[in-house]
Amino acid sequence: MLLEWEKGTAEPMLELPPNPELGDAAFPCFALAKSLRKAPQQIASELAERFKLEGTEASAAGPYLNFRLDRSFHSVALLSQAEGGTAAPNGETVVIDMSSPNIAKPFGVGHLRSTVIGAALYRMYKEAGYRAVSVNHLGDWGTQFGKQITAYKRWGSEERLKAAPIRESLSLYVRFHDEAENDPTLETEARDWFRRLESGDEEALNLWRYFVDVSMSEFDRMYERLGVSFDKVLGESFYNDKMGAVVEELRAEGLLEESEGAQVVRLGDANMPPCLILKSDGTTIYPTRDLATAIYRHDVLEADKLLYVVGAEQTLHFRQVFAVLHKMGRDWASACQHIPFGLMKFEGKKMSTRKGKVVFLEEVLDEAVTRATAIIEEKNPQLQNRESVAEAIGIGAIVFGDLKNNRIGEINFSIEEAVQFEGETGPYVQYTHARARSVLRKAKAEGIEANGGTIDPDTLKKRTSSYEWDEASWELLKRLCDYATELHRGVQRHEPSAIARYALDLAKLFNRFYHHNKVLSAAAGDKEIRLELTRLAAERLRWALNLLGVRSPEEI
């Protein structure tokens, strides 16, 4: 034994050498310097001398211990590992709060991030063996409805609203804020309408229901195009009858205090401003509803973990809500986690619903599909199902263009860049998948089928160990084996970009392999191995795209 560590301790520390010529894996010895009281370079040299493992060589390169695998010895095991399998059930339930658009507002590009990040995390958690529950927490309650009703009553038209419900609602909302700058009575009137709505006023409720119905119709069309669905669609209004109990519990526990007429929970001990529970007019506010929401998800949906995929600007809000839950004695509050993401700009411009600066998501999707259609018409006009393929490529370009980025970073979105078939794009990965499928179709037409088809498994093993593993084939095989590691990393960090980056790496490696190696015209012994690598690459690319919510056409 080289080091007295528990099994599995060293594996996460392994790195890929910057140059494949240095080996297949590297172990940095910096972490051992303090405990062994030696320089990292000396530790690496001593470990290299003592290392003995069949089929693996170790050598020191400065502070790194590099490992080189015997390709004939390890290739059969790696090919089996690349095949993969289904994760064992984890047993934990994770509830993912995602999308959460506001009723009577357009489904803009700004909503895209929460929707696609949340949906990707949902699929990733399920793939990792969790019981995942996706929840669309609709913004269907709050003072904005007082504003919406006020604007409709003052300037609205039933005819215009029926003709274009979302755009007319947005126009009214923008006008309210423009007019309110010079007319303070508007804010008072809006607060009064919201009080009437909370007290069950029939006129207010009817208008509210209408806004909800037309908005949901709009949202559902967008979700269908994005390939997103939800296990639960529960708006803020669902918790209206559950907030009273929360307020009473806070009062009974002596946690509520008056502040300028409002009711708050002090959070000075956590270095945060007070959490507002009831406004001075007695109406509820976001923290009140989110407290009731969290309790419902834990107690009724039986969540072991609660994730909130919401923009980074809401960080303080969620810190306050989780802190209040802790004060209420809910120890499971430590299992609540805000999953923030950065701002999305469109062609360098920040979106604002109040100012009417909204880029409608439907327009973006349509533009992307139109561009994809033009490319297909140019490159492959004979392609069958051109419309559905263009839809898959165009929308896939938008989704992948978001998810390839670290979620916390700000995105300046560009359709022109997203729909390119070269570079770090969704269409590039989709086209690579289609290329691999095309090779497999041609092989099948010749009577050769991998994966338990015409290729005998025992014969495949023999040919695998005797195959002349060139760099392109070997690097592809190794990366194919990394899928489980990347999934685990993505789930642990709540980063769909881990899967997107894996897909890009795999696509580049397959294209390099395909460029350097004949597949269909290869000698008999080599052909089977190269077809198997092609099949595994196609399967894993589809696996990654599916986790991200991107379709993978068989032909492009």
Side-chain angles (χ1 to χ4, degrees), residues 73-313:
F73 184 88
H74 288 285
S75 56
V76 174
L78 289 178
L79 204 63
S80 176
Q81 183 179 336
E83 183 69 46
T86 305
N90 176 279
E92 288 190 19
T93 295
V94 54
V95 172
I96 304 175
D97 180 315
M98 53 182 277
S99 195
S100 309
N102 289 319
I103 294 297
K105 306 293 190 302
F107 202 123
V109 170
H111 294 105
L112 183 70
R113 300 218 71 193
S114 176
T115 303
V116 300
I117 291 172
L121 290 176
Y122 171 74
R123 299 184 197 96
M124 289 163 64
Y125 264 97
K126 290 188 75 172
E127 181 70 12
Y130 290 79
R131 176 180 173 264
V133 179
S134 58
V135 180
N136 192 356
H137 187 68
L138 294 171
D140 69 347
W141 205 253
T143 55
Q144 71 267 29
F145 286 98
K147 298 175 182 180
Q148 197 74 50
I149 293 172
T150 297
Y152 177 73
K153 294 290 288 183
R154 286 210 180 191
W155 312 296
S157 158
E158 185 176 355
E159 183 178 350
R160 289 199 304 270
L161 196 64
K162 286 183 177 179
I166 298 298
R167 290 179 185 271
E168 177 63 12
S169 295
L170 174 63
S171 176
L172 290 171
Y173 190 72
V174 171
R175 183 171 180 180
F176 177 93
H177 286 280
D178 287 342
E179 299 277 354
E181 291 182 5
N182 300 311
D183 184 358
T185 65
L186 279 170
E187 293 286 356
T188 304
E189 188 176 338
R191 285 193 293 271
D192 182 61
W193 270 111
F194 182 55
R195 277 198 301 272
R196 289 174 63 178
L197 183 60
E198 285 208 307
S199 63
D201 178 84
E202 195 61 31
E203 183 181 6
L205 282 171
N206 285 337
L207 283 169
W208 170 76
R209 292 189 189 105
Y210 179 77
F211 288 133
V212 170
D213 289 344
V214 296
S215 297
M216 284 309 303
S217 177
E218 172 84 356
F219 296 160
D220 287 343
R221 287 194 306 107
M222 292 300 96
Y223 290 134
E224 185 176 359
R225 293 190 73 182
L226 291 170
V228 174
S229 59
F230 304 92
D231 296 314
K232 304 283 183 182
V233 179
L234 301 173
E236 294 179 45
S237 63
F238 176 79
Y239 303 96
N240 283 348
D241 62 352
K242 301 169 180 59
M243 289 186 288
V246 172
V247 174
E248 287 308 310
E249 182 178 342
L250 289 169
R251 186 173 285 118
E253 293 291 330
L255 295 172
L256 275 186
E257 294 183 28
E258 185 174 327
S259 175
E260 298 180 3
Q263 296 291 309
V264 303
V265 175
R266 301 284 180 187
L267 296 174
D269 55 342
N271 295 316
M272 283 185 280
C275 182
L276 182 60
I277 300 300
L278 292 174
K279 292 191 286 187
S280 57
D281 61 4
T283 56
T284 56
I285 195 167
Y286 290 113
T288 327
R289 289 190 280 278
D290 278 342
L291 288 168
T293 300
I295 292 170
Y296 176 84
R297 289 173 181 172
H298 176 269
D299 294 352
V300 180
L301 299 184
E302 301 180 334
D304 297 295
K305 183 182 295 188
L306 285 79
L307 305 183
Y308 296 81
V309 185
V310 183
E313 68 277 5

Side-chain angles (χ1 to χ4, degrees), residues 123 225-227 376 383 385 388-397 399-400 421 425-438 441 503 507 535 537-556:
R123 299 184 197 96
R225 293 190 73 182
L226 291 170
I376 291 172
L383 178 67
N385 303 317
S388 63
V389 172
E391 181 85 357
I393 292 173
I395 293 176
V399 174
F400 194 94
F421 276 72
T425 69
Y428 170 71
V429 178
Q430 289 172 308
Y431 182 76
T432 303
H433 168 266
R435 165 181 273 182
R437 292 294 180 193
S438 175
R441 283 195 301 274
R535 181 188 70 82
E539 288 297 320
R540 202 51 68 192
L541 285 171
R542 183 169 63 180
W543 172 86
L545 289 172
N546 181 60
L547 287 178
L548 299 174
V550 177
R551 283 183 282 164
S552 46
E554 295 283 310
E555 189 177 358
I556 295 177

Side-chain angles (χ1 to χ4, degrees), residues 189 205 258 262 267 275 282 324 358 367 374 376 451 457 465 468 476 507 523:
E189 188 176 338
L205 282 171
E258 185 174 327
L267 296 174
C275 182
V324 173
V358 175
E367 175 66 19
I376 291 172
N451 190 28
S465 57
E468 191 67 34
L476 175 60

Side-chain angles (χ1 to χ4, degrees), residues 472-480 506 509-510 513 533 537:
S473 301
W474 184 246
E475 292 301 316
L476 175 60
L477 175 60
K478 288 194 298 179
R479 197 65 174 123
L480 283 166
L506 203 56
L509 289 170
F510 174 76
F513 156 80
L533 286 171

